[in-house]
């Protein structure tokens, strides 16, 4: 089966290899090669819950806004995984080291009860999945 990203695309191959390591079958991997290709895949499979990494949410969460036009449930936005190390700053000294502009998902007008976006730290995705999907408290 040819890879959509091409054999010379190292980034694609790395992500595809990670997907192969966690998927039971190759047919369970749905690759996309455009910046918003995942939106079409999600629309087609119509999941009940969407966990979306912040880097796939679009500028200002625009892709989440698109998802919310047809998705019946909240989108779980996974933050803190973009650098590869994962996790948010969990102490004041860590937060002070890298003062950054406020992210769109930190604004109360965009995220919160009734807004359709739930923010979860990448280090807590397993816990959230167990609670939300498996019903384990």
């Amino acid at each position: 089966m040819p890879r959509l990203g091409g054999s010379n695309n190292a980034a694609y191959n790395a992500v595809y290899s990670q997907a192969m390591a966690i998927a039971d079958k190759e047919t369970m991997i749905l690759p996309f090669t455009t910046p918003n290709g995942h939106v079409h895949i999600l629309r087609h499979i119509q999941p009940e819950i969407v966990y979306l990494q912040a880097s796939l949410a679009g500028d200002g969460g625009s892709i989440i806004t698109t998802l919310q036009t047809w998705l019946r449930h909240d989108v779980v936005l996974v933050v803190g995984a973009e650098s590869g190390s994962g996790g948010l700053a969990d102490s004041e000294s860590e937060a002070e080291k890298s003062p950054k502009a406020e992210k769109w998902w930190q604004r109360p007008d965009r995220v919160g009860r009734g807004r359709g976006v739930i923010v979860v730290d990448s280090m807590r995705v397993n816990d959230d999945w167990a609670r939300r999907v498996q019903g384990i408290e």
Side-chain angles (χ1 to χ4, degrees):
M1 175 177 179
R3 293 186 182 173
L4 296 177
S7 60
N8 60 352
N9 187 333
Y12 176 86
N13 289 339
V15 172
Y16 192 84
S17 294
Q18 288 176 345
M20 286 292 294
I22 61 173
D24 293 333
K25 302 174 194 167
E26 186 174 9
T27 56
M28 296 173 81
I29 300 170
L30 301 172
F32 59 93
T33 57
T34 62
N36 63 347
H38 58 292
V39 175
H40 304 293
I41 292 170
L42 290 170
R43 173 91 187 213
H44 179 70
I45 62 175
Q46 302 230 341
E48 288 186 32
I49 299 174
V50 173
Y51 281 81
L52 190 65
Q53 184 171 325
S55 63
L56 295 175
D59 292 333
S62 62
I63 288 179
I64 289 180
T65 302
T66 301
L67 292 175
Q68 289 172 328
T69 63
W70 56 266
L71 191 63
R72 292 177 290 184
H73 302 284
D74 295 334
V75 174
V76 180
L77 183 70
V78 180
V79 299
E82 283 75 23
S83 65
S85 59
L88 296 173
D90 56 352
S91 72
E92 289 181 25
S93 61
E94 286 182 59
E96 290 171 6
K97 286 181 184 175
S98 57
K100 297 178 183 175
E102 183 180 55
K103 306 282 187 191
W104 68 267
W105 46 265
Q106 293 173 321
R107 294 190 333 250
D109 66 317
R110 190 68 173 101
V111 177
R113 175 166 250 149
R115 304 273 195 277
V117 180
I118 300 167
V119 178
V120 174
D121 180 57
S122 65
M123 303 299 280
R124 300 281 181 223
V125 171
N126 288 340
D127 297 337
D128 187 80
W129 178 270
R131 184 181 56 76
R132 191 177 308 281
V133 177
Q134 297 173 324
I136 301 171
E137 288 298 321

